[in-house]
Amino acid sequence: MKVFKFGGASVKDADGVRNLASIIQEYPDQLVIVVSAMGKTTNSLEVLAKNYFNENREELLVNINTLKQFHSAIIENLFNDFSEEVKLTLSSDFEQLNIRLAHPPSLDYDFEYDQIVSLGEILSTKITSAYLNYVGIKNRWIDIRTGLRTDATWREGNIDWSLSSGLIHSKFNFNENRIYVTQGFIGATVTDQTTTLGREGSDYTAAVLANMLDSDSVTIWKDVQGIMNADPHKFNVTQKLDMLSYREAVEMTYYGAKVIHPKTMKPLVEKDIPLYVRSFIQPLENGSVICRIDHVMNYVPVFISKEDLILITISPLDFSFIAEESISKIYKLFAHYRIKVNLVQQSAMNFSVAIDHPERGFDHLISDLKNKFVVHYNEGLELLTIRYYTEEVIHQMIEKRTVLVAQRTRTTARFLMKQV
Ligand code: ASP
Ligand code: MG
């Protein structure tokens, strides 16, 4: 069997769903189809969750209406006379949302977030599954929350592998159905509270299911030709990487390449499952494959740019050195605020780290740090990572830029610069 993952961009409108169906039609295989929320629905649901949590009733009502309208319009476009029946299958989900939103929020924003934001995937998969059945591609819809069980780390649920794997095997029975449609990005605790697995987590779901079900491969259908050596939105000249190793893919996502969710590779490596990245716009083209490669590859230079970083420089209050003990205190704070460190530079009296701009809690972090250290920071920075660099390439990229930190290893050069 194979796992296919379709992201939000691939099902952003009715044509997207029709296109998905035409791709599926070409495959006689047993399939698990993992679908994300339609278009930018997750972003809209995040806004909705915030308005609920902050009790902005008026805006909340607008948000709910927009969400309903958006999905209704897609349904009407896809199903004609059959639309009302499909809408009925979503009515209990909207009902549940209304009931939740009618109650005052609990004190835990992250919990509320998961309960609300998860709806996007429920709606998209119900619509997709119904449409496939409607056009004769028989399939079964699965609520993945009954199979993928996580701990209660809201917004970043950790999968309970042994429990989930048994449940998943019992849910996906290919003697009964050839095609299954299910949600990416979401799971549930053992007490049936919904969790999410982190933004863009549907890739990870696809990999987890592939691992548990011993899939032949995973294919991620995207709006790009495959994995490129640079983001085509940011760089003029880009090249497709036809084949890369799991390790290379992990490195690229670690440095901030957005092509695949960073957690995706581990479940695949474990069982040697190849990951294809292909275009849903040109589904006959080859795309890229990430797989096990034992020989040394010659890669072209790969550019990864990450924006909106903050460089924090921390020094002791007295004239002492930055030592292991203070560094461990600093890292504990980062872990507490769930802050991702991208780059570290250490000298006798300074410890500098480039971090992602956190959504919340930055001011608290800084004041916590200021209790123990002298703290300076610069916002609005870009971190450019160049894998397989040449001197010429580096020169071209940083020539006219203000570089705050530069680091090089044999294969990788990194520059923290003022954003332009
Ligand atoms: N819908 C979720 C998101 O936008 C998950 C995903 O797309 O992978 O983050
Ligand atoms: Mg997505």
Side-chain angles (χ1 to χ4, degrees):
M1 51 84 55
K2 294 182 163 66
V3 176
F4 281 2
K5 182 257 170 171
F6 287 88
S10 70
V11 288
K12 69 178 196 312
D13 51 24
D15 280 340
V17 180
R18 279 189 276 266
N19 182 54
L20 177 152
S22 74
I23 292 174
I24 304 296
Q25 203 123 41
E26 298 301 315
Y27 291 84
D29 310 69
Q30 297 172 337
L31 294 176
V32 172
I33 302 166
V34 174
V35 186
S36 303
M38 296 177 140
K40 299 267 177 245
T41 300
T42 305
N43 292 354
S44 314
L45 285 165
E46 282 187 342
V47 174
L48 191 153
K50 265 194 197 122
N51 282 330
Y52 168 59
F53 198 72
N54 299 330
E55 303 190 61
N56 301 330
R57 291 305 302 181
E58 264 169 50
E59 283 149 60
L60 183 60
L61 291 177
V62 176
N63 297 153
I64 301 169
N65 260 327
T66 315
L67 181 75
K68 268 194 179 158
Q69 293 285 323
F70 173 71
H71 289 90
S72 290
I74 293 178
I75 292 172
E76 279 154 26
N77 190 319
L78 285 173
F79 297 94
N80 305 315
D81 296 347
F82 199 59
S83 303
E84 288 312 310
E85 247 163 282
V86 176
K87 280 188 198 167
L88 220 56
T89 66
L90 308 186
S91 60
S92 63
D93 301 301
F94 280 111
E95 188 61 21
Q96 267 180 33
L97 178 71
N98 284 334
I99 294 172
R100 174 169 296 284
L101 301 182
H103 286 88
S106 69
L107 297 179
D108 189 340
Y109 174 73
D110 291 342
F111 166 79
E112 301 293 350
Y113 175 104
D114 281 0
Q115 310 317 304
I116 292 169
V117 169
S118 51
L119 181 63
E121 268 68 14
I122 299 293
L123 301 177
S124 69
T125 52
K126 282 193 172 174
I127 296 171
T128 304
S129 168
Y131 182 73
L132 292 175
N133 278 325
Y134 180 67
V135 297
I137 305 173
K138 290 285 163 263
N139 72 93
R140 170 116 195 247
W141 180 84
I142 298 272
D143 184 338
I144 203 65
R145 294 173 296 187
T146 60
L148 282 188
R149 298 295 177 158
T150 70
D151 65 5
T153 309
W154 314 116
R155 299 183 69 174
E156 225 167 306
N158 297 298
I159 290 174
D160 180 334
W161 277 79
S162 57
L163 175 62
S164 303
S165 150
L167 292 168
I168 289 297
H169 274 278
S170 67
K171 308 269 166 214
F172 293 83
N173 179 351
F174 291 98
N175 294 324
E176 285 170 10
N177 298 283
R178 179 174 71 86
I179 302 179
Y180 286 91
V181 173
T182 197
Q183 309 79 40
F185 178 56
I186 67 175
T189 64
V190 283
T191 54
D192 285 334
Q193 311 270 28
T194 302
T195 52
T196 63
L197 309 177
R199 283 302 308 264
E200 306 300 329
S202 297
D203 295 347
Y204 178 54
T205 304
V208 169
L209 295 180
N211 176 305
M212 291 177 179
L213 296 167
D214 287 303
S215 179
D216 301 332
S217 64
V218 173
T219 304
I220 298 183
W221 296 91
K222 288 183 77 80
D223 57 358
V224 288
Q225 300 164 37
I227 296 180
M228 312 301 286
N229 74 325
D231 182 348
H233 300 297
K234 289 185 190 159
F235 293 81
N236 295 332
V237 186
T238 58
Q239 241 175 300
K240 180 163 72 78
L241 306 171
D242 293 328
M243 190 189 256
L244 53 166
S245 65
Y246 291 121
R247 176 171 287 275
E248 187 56 36
V250 170
E251 296 267 3
M252 281 176 70
T253 57
Y254 172 78
Y255 291 124
K258 291 235 174 65
V259 274
I260 309 159
H261 191 280
K263 280 159 87 177
T264 311
M265 248 58 72
K266 193 163 172 260
L268 301 178
V269 175
E270 235 174 65
K271 293 210 169 158
D272 253 339
I273 301 169
L275 173 66
Y276 296 92
V277 177
R278 296 177 61 181
S279 159
F280 62 77
I281 303 159
Q282 294 169 298
L284 299 176
E285 299 296 319
N286 271 332
S288 306
V289 58
I290 300 168
C291 56
R292 176 161 171 174
I293 296 172
D294 294 323
H295 56 276
V296 179
M297 295 273 290
N298 281 320
Y299 294 105
V300 295
V302 174
F303 302 90
I304 303 148
S305 146
K306 225 180 146 182
E307 289 182 344
D308 205 16
L309 299 194
I310 306 173
L311 178 67
I312 309 182
T313 301
I314 301 162
S315 11
L317 288 167
D318 52 19
F319 215 69
S320 59
F321 293 129
I322 275 279
E324 284 65 22
E325 211 173 303
S326 28
I327 293 174
S328 93
K329 274 188 203 145
I330 295 167
Y331 266 96
K332 264 201 192 113
L333 271 178
F334 289 153
H336 173 74
Y337 285 99
R338 291 205 209 166
I339 277 173
K340 182 167 173 353
V341 172
N342 291 278
L343 172 134
V344 177
Q345 184 116 316
Q346 190 189 342
S347 67
M349 288 187 50
N350 285 328
F351 184 71
S352 298
V353 283
I355 62 163
D356 288 352
H357 204 304
E359 208 185 307
R360 295 177 306 141
F362 181 63
D363 296 340
H364 289 290
L365 168 77
I366 294 296
S367 67
D368 278 357
L369 283 170
K370 279 188 174 161
N371 285 335
K372 300 183 190 100
F373 305 98
V374 178
V375 181
H376 298 283
Y377 63 89
N378 284 290
E379 294 175 276
L381 304 179
E382 174 189 358
L383 178 60
L384 177 71
T385 301
I386 312 174
R387 306 262 301 150
Y388 313 105
Y389 61 83
T390 62
E391 291 310 320
E392 197 190 327
V393 159
I394 288 183
H395 181 71
Q396 280 168 17
M397 298 305 300
I398 67 166
E399 195 183 12
K400 293 185 185 113
R401 307 284 303 269
T402 314
V403 177
L404 282 79
V405 181
Q407 287 183 351
R408 283 192 203 199
T409 66
R410 263 179 304 161
T411 51
T412 309
R414 312 185 76 197
F415 303 95
L416 189 68
M417 307 183 280
K418 287 227 168 87
Q419 228 157 277
V420 282

